[in-house]
Amino acid sequence: MNLRELPLEDIRHRLAGPGLCLRTGPFTVRIRSRISAVVDSLTLLYADHPVLADEVFCDFHVRLLRPLGLRRWWRPQVKFAFDDFVPFKPLPYDHAFPMLEWGLNWSVAQHAHWYLVVHAAVIEQKGRAAILPAPPGSGKSTLTAALVQRGWRLLSDELTLIDPETGLVHALARPVSLKNTSLPLLRAWAPEAVFGPPAHDTLKGTVAHMKPPQESVARMEEPAHPAWVIFPRYVPDSAPRLTPHPRAHALLELAHNAFNYSALGSCGYDTLARLIATVECFDFTYSRLEDALNIFTRLADGP
């Protein structure tokens, strides 16, 4: 059963009680919250994700809740809990859903050590995956959101999960986080896309999440072979430019962007070394989404 098939009252009951068990790629997460904004955004943005029975084993148990005391009434806040551990300071109450998404990213990055977890978007077409590592503000998520609205499959906009044994990349296919000027850009690029309500004045500015394409969610158990590592960078008024990136530098940058590279020890290095040996590496600068789509289409159509 997918979340869209569950009556709203059942969703509210599970979130307020035993927890709503959602399958997101290789993970099952149990979510608890009585916050209406969390209920509404989950119902909208996770509509195509599988819902599992209450008694199922879950990888992560998370809660979004209001702190007690004066803060419950004066400038109300929300806090994220992993089991009974609260890893972050509370945020304003209307940042509840972005906090859930950031908390889920933290849960995977801190605990899923059976994967090498890299801070990078990853998309796929024709069985071949493009890994897109880039710092905040580089246009990574904007580019990812635009391409998955034009036929690329979303594996993740934040976390690349590499299996050390197979070298395959696994999918999360959760909502894509977009910020500030990228929001009207994507709304114009894909009028049919579904967006959650914006959260204003976050540490990243105005943030809203785009619902992942239904096909990406339906195929999220399907891993992909990495074919490219591409370092994207948005440069205003620039012509599109795809240039080779030295493999040795790419390995170092992926290691730098991996959350658990040190924790995995030699396994982390071996995993990246095998990956880099089999992919093409590029720098990519762009200013127009149409140009980016053309270049990525040529890559996918190539040998």
Side-chain angles (χ1 to χ4, degrees):
M1 175 188 291
N2 294 337
L3 188 58
R4 70 166 69 249
E5 301 172 78
L6 198 63
L8 181 58
E9 280 310 305
D10 286 355
I11 297 173
R12 293 185 188 279
H13 172 74
R14 293 193 189 198
L15 284 167
L20 180 70
C21 300
L22 281 178
R23 190 70 180 167
T24 59
F27 308 113
T28 300
V29 56
R30 186 185 301 273
I31 304 170
R32 293 186 175 94
S33 183
R34 295 178 181 271
I35 298 173
S36 58
V38 173
V39 178
D40 293 344
S41 292
L42 281 170
T43 303
L44 177 68
L45 300 174
Y46 283 86
D48 301 317
H49 283 72
V51 179
L52 304 184
D54 292 347
E55 61 272 16
V56 72
F57 170 82
C58 292
D59 299 281
F60 310 124
H61 298 248
V62 304
R63 284 188 299 158
L64 271 292
L65 63 161
R66 297 176 69 170
L68 300 176
L70 185 62
R71 278 295 194 182
R72 191 168 184 82
W73 310 108
W74 183 71
R75 294 184 179 178
Q77 295 180 321
V78 59
K79 63 180 182 180
F80 172 87
F82 178 91
D83 291 334
D84 290 325
F85 175 58
V86 178
F88 314 121
K89 292 181 179 178
L91 291 179
Y93 188 71
D94 56 3
H95 296 175
F97 186 73
M99 191 177 205
L100 171 61
E101 287 297 309
W102 297 330
L104 290 176
N105 288 340
W106 176 87
S107 302
V108 173
Q110 294 296 313
H111 299 94
H113 296 320
W114 54 99
Y115 295 111
L116 179 66
V117 184
V118 180
H119 182 209
V122 57
I123 55 178
E124 176 267 346
Q125 197 171 99
K126 299 180 181 178
R128 297 187 294 173
I131 298 171
L132 311 175
S138 59
K140 164 177 64 69
S141 292
T142 305
L143 177 63
T144 300
L147 293 175
V148 302
Q149 293 294 338
R150 291 291 191 279
W152 286 75
R153 176 165 68 105
L154 173 69
L155 278 74
S156 176
D157 78 314
E158 284 289 339
L159 302 174
T160 295
L161 306 175
I162 306 170
D163 187 328
E165 291 190 8
T166 65
L168 297 175
V169 179
H170 290 256
L172 280 173
R174 288 179 23 224
V176 178
S177 175
L178 296 165
K179 304 183 290 291
N180 303 319
T181 56
S182 63
L183 288 166
L185 185 66
L186 262 296
R187 290 183 193 278
W189 174 261
E192 71 282 7
V194 175
F195 292 84
H200 302 286
D201 300 321
T202 76
L203 292 175
K204 301 180 179 182
T206 297
V207 173
H209 288 81
M210 186 187 80
K211 182 175 177 288
Q214 187 172 10
E215 184 188 358
S216 296
V217 177
R219 295 174 59 195
M220 65 184 176
E221 303 286 349
E222 178 185 326
H225 290 274
W228 308 281
V229 173
I230 303 173
F231 297 87
R233 188 162 63 97
Y234 172 80
V235 178
D237 303 321
S238 68
R241 192 158 180 257
L242 188 71
T243 55
H245 188 106
R247 289 174 186 269
H249 289 179
L251 189 152
L252 292 175
E253 291 179 56
L254 286 177
H256 179 72
N257 281 282
F259 291 101
N260 56 352
Y261 179 76
S262 297
L264 294 185
S266 60
C267 176
Y269 172 81
D270 292 342
T271 301
L272 285 185
R274 286 196 299 271
L275 181 142
I276 289 296
T278 59
V279 300
E280 296 180 278
C281 302
F282 298 103
D283 289 305
F284 177 56
T285 56
Y286 74 101
S287 61
R288 299 174 67 250
L289 294 178
E290 292 85 354
D291 295 333
L293 176 62
N294 290 335
I295 284 183
F296 274 74
T297 300
R298 286 202 294 271
L299 269 181
D301 290 341

